[in-house]
Amino acid sequence: MEGPPQLNAIDLGASGLPRPLVRWTNFKEDAALYQGALLQKDCYCRAFFDRAGRGGPYDISKLNAVLGGLVDICTGMATEMLRKDVSSVISRVNALY
């Protein structure tokens, strides 16, 4: 089954790829969204990595910026979680004395 038109506009800038189609499966009530999967995802992945991973013309600078931002956010979250855990442990140890 084809998904909504706006989701069928996947463009890797590579020729010879099949028309992108999404198979819609179940409705995730907690997120109020349908779960879907890109059909023939492996050929899109290969095309992307062939172009991006071998010095091809694909500009990955924006992707690098997004990934860098995600790493920064995750690092901050992990740091905050560790601080809370350490503070919690210190509080419990201090409560013993």
Side-chain angles (χ1 to χ4, degrees):
M1 177 167 87
E2 257 183 77
Q6 71 273 16
L7 295 179
N8 286 330
I10 297 168
D11 179 23
L12 295 176
S15 61
L17 292 173
R19 183 170 173 243
L21 296 173
V22 174
R23 176 178 294 139
W24 297 101
T25 53
N26 58 329
F27 185 74
K28 306 286 261 178
E29 291 193 30
D30 56 335
L33 298 170
Y34 281 94
Q35 175 103 12
L38 176 64
L39 300 179
Q40 298 180 327
K41 177 173 54 176
D42 57 327
C43 71
Y44 290 96
C45 290
R46 276 194 307 273
F48 173 79
F49 286 116
D50 283 348
R51 297 186 72 201
R54 297 193 178 103
Y58 194 87
D59 179 11
I60 61 170
S61 60
K62 291 181 182 177
L63 181 57
N64 284 336
V66 169
L67 292 175
L70 287 171
V71 168
D72 291 345
I73 290 169
C74 292
T75 301
M77 290 171 65
T79 301
E80 185 62 29
M81 288 170 30
L82 286 172
R83 282 188 188 137
K84 286 181 181 177
D85 286 346
V86 169
S87 295
S88 175
V89 169
I90 291 171
S91 295
R92 281 184 266 152
V93 168
N94 287 337
L96 296 174
Y97 297 104

